[in-house]
Amino acid sequence: MTGSGERTTGNEERPEDGDRPGSGRIDSNIPNVARMYDYYLGGYHNFAVDREAAEKILAIFPDTPAAAHTNRRFLQRAVRYLAGEAGVRQFLDIGAGLPTQGNVHEVAGAGCEVVYVDNDPVAVAQARALVEDLPNVSVALADLRDPDALLADPHVRGHLDLDEPVAILMVSLLHFVPDDAEPGRIVARLRDATAPGSHLVVSHLTLDGVAEAPASQGQEVYRTSTAPIVPRSRADILRLFEGYDLVEPGLVWLGEWRPEPDGTPEGVSHGYGAVGVKPKY
Ligand SMILES: C[S@@+](CC[C@H](N)C(=O)[O-])C[C@H]1O[C@@H](n2cnc3c(N)ncnc32)[C@H](O)[C@@H]1O
């Protein structure tokens, strides 16, 4: 923790939050990617327009709910590894989404500082309502595409000490960042702002192995949403880890990343995932 003086959770509503450039506005007429994902996971924070778009995806890829759960379990295994074996005590979960089960602060434990970030005001409001009594958890309304503003956000600055290792999570997020927004540059900016020993967790949608017709139909559905989707190849996703050493087993299908030792079978994966560590030297 940095900062001094009176301690607040930082989760209080701030009127200026909704006015940040690119932070998004509440619009129930446009399918919203956070709420579509909530629908895949069986949640209730979604509107008819989100369900309609999600149903179109399900007509093309019926196993999307199973893949969304595989993604959540990847996130939870990664956080368990980081808070356990890797000894990380600070987590910056960008594109955290609407609260669901097994959120990062619940998996990491009370001894960890956690800052959730999303550019969706509804996701931020819901997350703040969930964690308002937790002094070690904060929620920022910020956009990944402006990493300097994200790093300068008072919720981030007030809760995380960037001179100490931080785990940055971008789970099921970077496929919402188009090439012209330069996802590689954004990841590098965040990497450079963090201390050696910091980690990066990425899961990313791919269409590797998917036929062209369903692939373009799926992208077409997201084209009208709050964040058009940009699936990437394994090679392109691997490049996002430049400057990090990948921990075992490297970049793999999400269900294959350190499966539970009890042999619990993982479901279908629609993406790749990895955990990287910023080397000390
Ligand atoms: C599919 S959800 C992933 C939620 C969670 N990380 C998980 O994997 O379970 C993607 C989230 O990223 C958020 N998002 C999309 N683009 C963003 C951006 N440019 N900056 C911050 N958040 C963004 C969406 O609002 C949504 O909540």
Side-chain angles (χ1 to χ4, degrees), residues 13-262:
E13 291 283 351
R14 295 177 312 150
E16 70 274 20
D17 275 349
D19 295 324
R20 300 260 173 89
S23 62
R25 296 235 160 238
I26 301 166
D27 188 339
S28 54
N29 298 312
I30 298 175
N32 174 291
V33 298
R35 299 192 304 248
M36 287 171 70
Y37 182 69
D38 175 69
Y39 182 69
Y40 301 146
L41 288 173
Y44 298 99
H45 302 295
N46 46 73
F47 299 140
V49 68
D50 311 310
R51 293 190 287 275
E52 266 166 42
E55 285 294 340
K56 285 185 193 162
I57 291 294
L58 297 188
I60 306 164
F61 300 109
D63 55 5
T64 299
H69 284 286
T70 301
N71 179 65
R72 281 303 295 177
R73 286 192 298 271
F74 162 76
L75 170 125
Q76 290 154 1
R77 292 196 304 279
V79 172
R80 256 194 300 282
Y81 160 78
L82 291 164
E85 204 175 312
V88 174
R89 289 290 164 268
Q90 306 189 98
F91 292 82
L92 179 59
D93 182 8
I94 309 176
L98 288 152
T100 177
Q101 290 183 348
N103 300 297
V104 170
H105 71 279
E106 294 160 333
V107 178
C112 295
E113 291 287 331
V114 177
V115 178
Y116 293 112
V117 177
D118 208 287
N119 70 344
D120 181 307
V122 176
V124 168
Q126 297 279 347
R128 283 185 181 157
L130 180 75
V131 305
E132 62 187 351
D133 294 331
L134 304 177
N136 61 316
V137 187
S138 191
V139 188
L141 178 64
D143 197 303
L144 175 68
R145 289 167 296 181
D146 187 350
D148 290 316
L150 191 158
L151 289 166
D153 187 284
H155 298 276
V156 176
R157 282 277 163 222
H159 277 256
L160 302 179
D161 179 354
L162 298 185
D163 293 330
E164 295 294 325
V166 179
I168 297 181
L169 281 71
M170 299 189 214
V171 178
S172 198
L173 169 64
L174 287 166
H175 45 240
F176 295 116
V177 179
D179 289 345
D180 61 11
E182 300 180 87
R185 177 191 56 82
I186 292 170
V187 174
R189 172 72 189 100
L190 295 172
R191 181 199 63 215
D192 291 347
T194 54
S198 292
H199 288 73
L200 173 69
V201 181
V202 167
S203 79
H204 197 299
L205 181 72
T206 189
L207 289 174
D208 285 0
V210 176
E212 208 175 309
S216 61
Q217 286 162 11
Q219 283 183 271
E220 193 52 41
V221 174
Y222 273 94
R223 217 181 301 285
T224 58
S225 77
T226 49
I229 207 156
V230 188
R232 293 191 171 92
S233 68
R234 185 178 180 283
D236 286 344
I237 299 166
L238 192 57
R239 262 192 291 280
L240 296 168
F241 283 92
E242 197 180 313
Y244 287 97
D245 295 337
L246 295 190
V247 307
E248 287 296 321
L251 182 66
V252 293
W253 290 107
L254 293 172
E256 292 173 4
W257 196 88
R258 298 191 179 218
E260 296 296 348
D262 67 0

